[in-house]
Amino acid sequence: MSNLENILRSIPGYILNPAETYERNRNEGYFYAIAIFFILYAAIFLLSGLLLVIYDILSGRTNDPQFFLLWFGLYGLFRSSVEIPVIVFIIHFASKLGNKKVGFADSFKIAFVGYAFFIFIIGLITVIDGLLRSIFSVNYAAGLKYFVDYPLYILATLFFIRVAAEGIRALHGLSKRKSYAIAVISILAAYFAMRLVLFLIVDLFLV
């Protein structure tokens, strides 16, 4: 129970002071990082379900949110399974160029913790889109991408970069410039890897 309490207390620490929080939890293992990821993932998943239920009550509708929640959950896990390995790989091996003593467990923690906040904010985009498409027309909701989707995606990316870079500085001992460069490269590589996988999937079904 104390371990769970430590994990829950660490989550706001990564938002306010990621470097100090990484340092404090330096001796934590793989489970610690995975737990943070699934806690934040479960939080946005449950929030999406709650918002859909509230909307149904206020609108007097009886829509079944199961399809949306199933799609939301599976897409999030699929996206994570593609992007996280890319991020772990780049953070670990790029950091090794600057410090040969870096440990894989630390790279793993940095990637999972940073990506946990990234996927949480990305989840907010999906939830907001779903609500807007339910409340307004599809075209009207699509027009709000410039005011909702893109700013939140930029926020998610910047948040990942900060949390991951501060982790690289604290756990791998690299300079600020190198740490932020590695964080930027890792999230960009993950993005392009995801685009490539989606392109290959679409191409497969079109054949």
Side-chain angles (χ1 to χ4, degrees):
M1 186 64 180
S2 60
N3 194 29
L4 179 59
E5 289 176 358
N6 177 50
I7 292 172
L8 294 176
R9 287 173 184 164
S10 295
I11 290 175
Y14 287 111
I15 299 173
L16 300 174
N17 194 340
E20 182 181 309
T21 308
Y22 275 113
E23 189 63 44
R24 187 171 64 247
N25 297 301
R26 177 183 287 273
N27 296 326
E28 298 290 346
Y30 296 101
F31 172 78
Y32 166 81
I34 294 173
I36 288 179
F37 171 81
F38 277 106
I39 287 172
L40 288 177
Y41 188 81
I44 190 61
F45 184 83
L46 294 174
L47 176 63
S48 65
L50 178 62
L51 289 177
L52 287 175
V53 170
I54 291 174
Y55 169 71
D56 282 350
I57 293 173
L58 294 178
S59 64
R61 299 185 182 184
T62 56
N63 293 326
D64 186 356
Q66 290 183 2
F67 175 77
F68 172 78
L69 291 176
L70 178 62
W71 175 86
F72 176 77
L74 292 178
Y75 175 75
L77 292 177
F78 166 71
R79 179 170 186 162
S80 303
S81 68
V82 173
E83 294 184 327
I84 288 179
V86 174
I87 293 171
V88 173
F89 177 85
I90 290 179
I91 286 178
H92 184 65
F93 287 99
S95 296
K96 264 191 172 298
L97 296 176
N99 180 4
K100 304 238 180 245
K101 295 182 179 180
V102 301
F104 181 79
D106 289 334
S107 298
F108 185 92
K109 286 189 289 185
I110 293 167
F112 263 81
V113 171
Y115 193 83
F117 291 100
F118 176 81
I119 201 67
F120 181 86
I121 300 175
I122 294 299
L124 285 179
I125 296 174
T126 306
V127 171
I128 293 172
D129 274 355
L131 289 174
L132 291 176
R133 291 179 187 279
S134 299
I135 298 172
F136 305 108
S137 67
V138 174
N139 291 334
Y140 184 74
L144 291 179
K145 278 184 175 291
Y146 298 100
F147 303 100
V148 178
D149 289 16
Y150 296 150
L152 281 177
Y153 194 90
I154 292 171
L155 176 64
T157 303
L158 292 177
F159 210 98
F160 168 85
I161 291 172
R162 178 173 181 265
V163 174
E166 291 302 314
I168 295 170
R169 288 181 65 195
L171 300 183
H172 289 337
L174 299 185
S175 68
K176 183 175 182 178
R177 182 177 298 179
K178 289 181 180 179
S179 298
Y180 275 84
I182 292 172
V184 170
I185 293 171
S186 68
I187 195 64
L188 288 177
Y191 171 81
F192 286 114
M194 187 63 193
R195 294 300 101 192
L196 176 61
V197 170
L198 291 176
F199 173 79
L200 293 175
I201 291 174
V202 171
D203 189 56
L204 180 64
F205 280 100
L206 290 178
V207 173

